[in-house]
Amino acid sequence: MSKQFCTFVLDRLLFGIEVEKVQEVIRYQEMTPVLTAPDSIAGLMNLRGQIVTAVDLRRRMGLPKNEEGGLPMNVVICTSEGAVSLLVDRIGEVVETEPETFESLPDSVRGEVRQTTTGVYKLEHGLLHVLNLGATLDGIVTSGGSPRTMAAA
Amino acid sequence: MYGHANNVLQCAAWQNEIMPRVEPSEKIMDGMDEIFIEFLNEANEVLDKFDRDMVELENDPSSRALLDQIFRGIHTIKGTSGVLGLDKLVSISHCGENLLSKMREGEILLTPDLTTVLLTMSDALRQILGCIAQSGTEGDGEFSALVESITAATEGRKAKRATARKPRKTAARKKSSVGSDAAAKNTAPPAATMVAEPAPDPVPAAKPKRKQESPAGEIKTQSEPPAESQVSSIRVDVGLLDKLMNLVGELVLARNQIMQFTTADNGTAMSAAVQRLNLITAELQRGVMKTRMQPIGTIWNKLPRLLRDVARGCGKDVELNMDGAETELDRTILEAIKDPLTHIIRNAVDHGIEPPAVRVQGGKNPAGLLTLKAYHEGGKVNIEISDDGAGINTEAVKQKAIERNLVSPAEAQRLSERELYNLLFQPGFSTAKEVTNISGRGVGMDVVKSNISKIGGTIDLQSTPGHGTTLKIKIPLTLAIVPALIVTSASNRFAISQVNLVELVRLEGAAALSAIEFIHNSPFYRLRGTLLPIVYLDRQLTGFDDRGGSHRDVITIVVLQADDRLFGLVVDEVKDSEEIVVKPLGNLLKEQKCFAGATIMGDGRVALILDVMGLAHKAEVLGEQRSRTNSTAVQKAEVKAQLDEWLLVKAGRKHHLAIPLARVDRLEEMATSRLEWSGSQLVVQYRGEIVPVISVAETLGFSVGQELPPVVAVVVVSWKGRRFGLLVEKISDVVQAQITIDKARQSQYLKGSAVIDKRVVDVLDIDGIIANTCSMVEELETAVGQGGR
């Protein structure tokens, strides 16, 4: 069974989320920062009257700041607890994948990426990282206080 | 017609607000009426279901579940009618119940004839209900033939009259599938046939004509006109109401946004349309809020039973007295106070009320009395729970507090009564000598308090040893849309619920430089002589401590109340007060204790709502240690609090007036252009209401016909559930003082004069001054009621 992924680019890496989990993709919106929240929370935005929490995926994955400039895009995901937006560098196409091309993360891959990625699809032109949505979002809550709140204590 | 009906409704609503207290006897009648109406609605629903089930049962006679349902329905009607003393209903439903119970036992099998008899019974019951709705009596209908036929069926005989009637009825019912007029005219059963069809699809083609009428209950009204008048309420899914509420919230936001645009561009047609939108939105908001309101009686109803169980459990005898069950609250709040209320009542019975023997010794009635009272006051709901028990043993509380290391023995002796009572709300505190299965495990009052604080409420305890204890709970009417103060800090906007707001202090220039003093590292401000702990909002949020740069040119302190403690929150700027729609924060942010939610501002951006309790905890201004080291300061504050607080204002050129601060809802400064005339009454649009404004200077005859300055101060007060604005020239100060009023200058509007801060001031009689304008207010309301359509 082939699967469709909505793809996006983060730090020149191609990531994918199952298409059915994506509610919509929108341009960057003004955010209200939540100063006490963990660093990976980019802020709150108003999505047609709904308040949506935006996650800075680069920070969440421990990737460096985007040096290329340009505003990130919002990939709005529906979760059981409402919508969450993921901030990504660029949006890619919807990609069809074949199960044979999937491989879980090799042991040699370390760091935060292990938690947030389930594996890769070997596409013709490169690797598609499959985002582990559950772990990515759960990690934010469980990782607790950000460096900023620590400083306050 | 439509508009007229609305006016009547509105006037009625106002009248309610203006005359809040009804004579007790009338109230009981009201209560009874309510019970009757509820019973009628319920009974009609039960009967409709009865008809449907009956017909379904005919198709599936072996269904035990259906039969049980039918039986329960009739049993319910019988039971409630019995309680309400409706003898006819009782006797008929009793017969039916007998028959049904035989059927449940399998002694009698359902035949079409039997179905008819039972359905005829349902019609008869409905007819009586109709009479009750119309005339308040069961009517003089004669049902002995019906009773006879039911009894006969029960006994397995054939009753002559009943059999005589049966064939015709059955024929009509059988014919129903043909859709003849005769069948359509027949009473409810055919209607039920239709409704009972589980799926609409298999209905034969001949039916549709009647099918249209039946589900809406038209047939019922056709055959029994009296029933029509009962359908004044419908049941609505709570989810739908919540959705409506959200939509109205959105509308309020959209309205706020549009209002912002139009202030910049003052096209007259546009601003007129916006004005209308504004009014309609406000009214819609009020209307939808009202749909979510439920009388507090809905949760009180469960208390008599609870009380009985608890009282029996501890061998006591307690009577329950409830007053104000019709007081309405938003259902989310109602939900939130259910558990605390249960807890308080358990406590009152278990700890408060003494065993009968002890009561008799003390010269009291052996049965204890528990009184629940609910009423609206100043935009909030007050709930009082009082018992006539032993009261609180302050010595026991002190002992316990020392035992638990909450205070030192020396401190315990200095504690004021109020502080002592506050100890009861500390976690792990219980004065019960032994733990019973009802209460006394030491969890309880602290949970009660935190639950009530969570919804922005406060709880206060008063007790007289030997005479009982009264708990007073104050809670807001609703949580969904709340008035809030918008402040900025760390270049962000934040909303603070007005519930927590006490006052605003603004310090400029030299005052700002020296105002904040330090005890070691903790900042304080001297607010009228009392040390007020200071919290810098930006530092709490960013965690960045810039003590060196804490000297600001202007310091704005928002004085907030968290629990029963005050603290000052330093913000960059106070923007505005606004009605905000509270939205929850997502799951990712649930750990953020400083924020209670978020809201969307007029410009479409999101602003966070500060959680005052959470913030206070984070800043440790409520912390255990801090509060104890501060206890002397707190004590002083207590002493101060016992003095009266007075708001000093200037009216006219030189007149200084004092208004008891307790009576003041809010202080507002507004542009004189906001004041409008309605008839001969000066009014202002304030939070979606039209608030009459009374010029104090003019009423007192200081300055008749004088031109108003461009900005005026308005003291907003509540009087009999309505807001009024008192127009003054300037608000001077708030002082605490014990004053003696010299009645020499007493008049219709003044209580007299007194000396406050070495100055002679006149003490305003708020009731007097408002009562005098009240006749004008009534006129105004009628005018608005007509003009608003």
Side-chain angles (χ1 to χ4, degrees), chain B residues 383-438:
Chain B
I383 305 171
E384 284 178 23
I385 303 115
S386 35
D387 63 61
D388 67 343
I392 287 167
N393 182 343
T394 46
E395 279 312 307
V397 174
K398 274 182 201 168
Q399 282 307 316
K400 198 84 177 183
I402 295 166
E403 232 171 77
R404 301 253 158 163
N405 246 340
L406 293 169
V407 290
S408 70
E411 272 176 328
Q413 293 316 313
R414 286 203 311 263
L415 288 176
S416 74
E417 206 164 70
R418 224 182 122 200
E419 277 179 295
L420 265 176
Y421 294 150
N422 277 333
L423 287 175
L424 294 173
F425 296 109
Q426 298 273 342
F429 202 95
S430 171
T431 56
K433 285 195 198 83
E434 50 195 294
V435 172
T436 67
N437 63 345
I438 296 157

Side-chain angles (χ1 to χ4, degrees), chain B residues 129-206:
Chain B
L129 291 173
C131 282
I132 296 172
Q134 234 183 8
S135 61
T137 66
E138 290 184 279
D140 40 14
E142 187 50 54
F143 298 99
S144 55
L146 174 67
V147 171
E148 163 62 14
S149 70
I150 299 174
T151 324
T154 316
E155 288 162 6
R157 298 187 270 120
K158 284 210 161 188
K160 277 150 252 151
R161 295 264 326 251
T163 34
R165 284 182 64 189
K166 261 182 268 168
R168 194 178 63 83
K169 279 253 172 178
T170 322
R173 283 180 30 69
K174 288 267 158 74
K175 254 190 268 169
S176 69
S177 59
V178 186
S180 74
D181 275 348
K185 259 192 176 167
N186 207 334
T187 47
T193 326
M194 311 310 307
V195 183
E197 294 289 347
D201 295 354
V203 174

Side-chain angles (χ1 to χ4, degrees), chain B residues 403-614:
Chain B
E403 232 171 77
R404 301 253 158 163
N405 246 340
L406 293 169
V407 290
S408 70
E411 272 176 328
Q413 293 316 313
R414 286 203 311 263
L415 288 176
S416 74
E417 206 164 70
R418 224 182 122 200
E419 277 179 295
L420 265 176
Y421 294 150
N422 277 333
L423 287 175
L424 294 173
F425 296 109
Q426 298 273 342
F429 202 95
S430 171
T431 56
K433 285 195 198 83
E434 50 195 294
V435 172
T436 67
N437 63 345
I438 296 157
S439 50
R441 282 196 204 83
V443 279
M445 291 317 275
D446 60 316
V447 180
V448 166
K449 180 156 195 179
S450 70
N451 280 351
I452 292 190
S453 308
K454 237 181 252 165
I455 53 170
T458 56
I459 184 164
D460 196 38
L461 191 148
Q462 283 166 358
S463 177
T464 323
H467 287 93
T469 307
T470 299
L471 270 165
K472 197 167 172 184
I473 302 173
K474 269 190 186 200
I475 37 181
L477 278 173
T478 177
L479 293 179
I481 298 181
V482 296
L485 186 76
I486 312 296
V487 302
T488 62
S489 181
S491 44
N492 275 296
R493 274 178 301 182
F494 297 94
I496 303 172
S497 167
Q498 301 258 9
V499 170
N500 303 103
L501 183 65
V502 181
E503 63 180 288
L504 297 172
V505 178
R506 186 182 152 92
L507 304 164
E508 288 174 24
L513 286 175
S514 57
I516 308 291
E517 296 166 277
F518 289 86
I519 300 180
H520 290 282
N521 282 326
S522 315
F524 288 91
Y525 169 69
R526 280 191 229 181
L527 180 69
R528 290 188 285 281
T530 308
L531 287 180
L532 179 77
I534 289 292
V535 176
Y536 289 93
L537 182 57
D538 49 357
R539 287 181 203 168
Q540 288 306 322
L541 296 177
T542 59
F544 180 61
D545 195 345
D546 63 338
R547 270 211 49 203
S550 67
H551 292 304
R552 312 175 188 212
D553 296 340
V554 177
I555 295 181
T556 308
I557 304 174
V558 182
V559 182
L560 297 170
Q561 181 159 24
D563 254 355
D564 43 6
R565 279 174 212 287
L566 297 183
F567 71 95
L569 187 69
V570 176
V571 300
D572 293 349
E573 216 179 326
V574 171
K575 283 280 183 203
D576 203 357
S577 71
E578 208 172 290
E579 302 252 299
I580 59 163
V581 180
V582 181
K583 305 221 172 202
L585 289 176
N587 233 20
L588 291 173
L589 297 172
K590 64 180 178 205
E591 301 291 317
Q592 305 306 311
K593 304 288 185 229
C594 289
F595 304 116
T599 187
I600 296 174
M601 303 300 299
D603 60 3
R605 291 197 56 181
V606 178
L608 286 155
I609 302 167
L610 292 179
D611 181 342
V612 171
M613 275 302 282

Side-chain angles (χ1 to χ4, degrees), chain B residues 146-296:
Chain B
L146 174 67
V147 171
E148 163 62 14
S149 70
I150 299 174
T151 324
T154 316
E155 288 162 6
R157 298 187 270 120
K158 284 210 161 188
K160 277 150 252 151
R161 295 264 326 251
T163 34
R165 284 182 64 189
K166 261 182 268 168
R168 194 178 63 83
K169 279 253 172 178
T170 322
R173 283 180 30 69
K174 288 267 158 74
K175 254 190 268 169
S176 69
S177 59
V178 186
S180 74
D181 275 348
K185 259 192 176 167
N186 207 334
T187 47
T193 326
M194 311 310 307
V195 183
E197 294 289 347
D201 295 354
V203 174
K207 283 186 179 177
K209 187 184 151 211
R210 287 193 34 249
K211 192 172 181 282
Q212 288 174 332
E213 316 179 294
S214 46
E218 249 106 299
I219 289 203
K220 197 167 80 187
T221 50
Q222 227 176 42
S223 56
E224 283 155 20
E228 194 180 25
S229 57
Q230 295 162 15
V231 194
S232 61
S233 67
I234 55 165
R235 288 180 183 225
V236 183
D237 182 39
V238 165
L240 178 66
L241 288 185
D242 287 347
K243 201 173 160 196
L244 270 180
M245 188 68 217
N246 281 338
L247 286 174
V248 168
E250 296 305 321
L251 187 64
V252 169
L253 291 175
R255 189 256 331 244
N256 291 354
Q257 259 164 299
I258 289 182
M259 301 257 291
Q260 272 195 355
F261 290 132
T262 43
T263 41
D265 155 46
N266 260 335
T268 38
M270 180 66 182
S271 60
V274 168
Q275 203 51 43
R276 266 184 70 73
L277 174 71
N278 184 15
L279 283 175
I280 294 168
T281 310
E283 201 149 311
L284 183 65
Q285 181 188 336
R286 222 174 312 147
V288 172
M289 297 266 250
K290 224 169 180 174
T291 62
R292 288 164 53 97
M293 293 291 191
Q294 279 184 305
I296 197 167

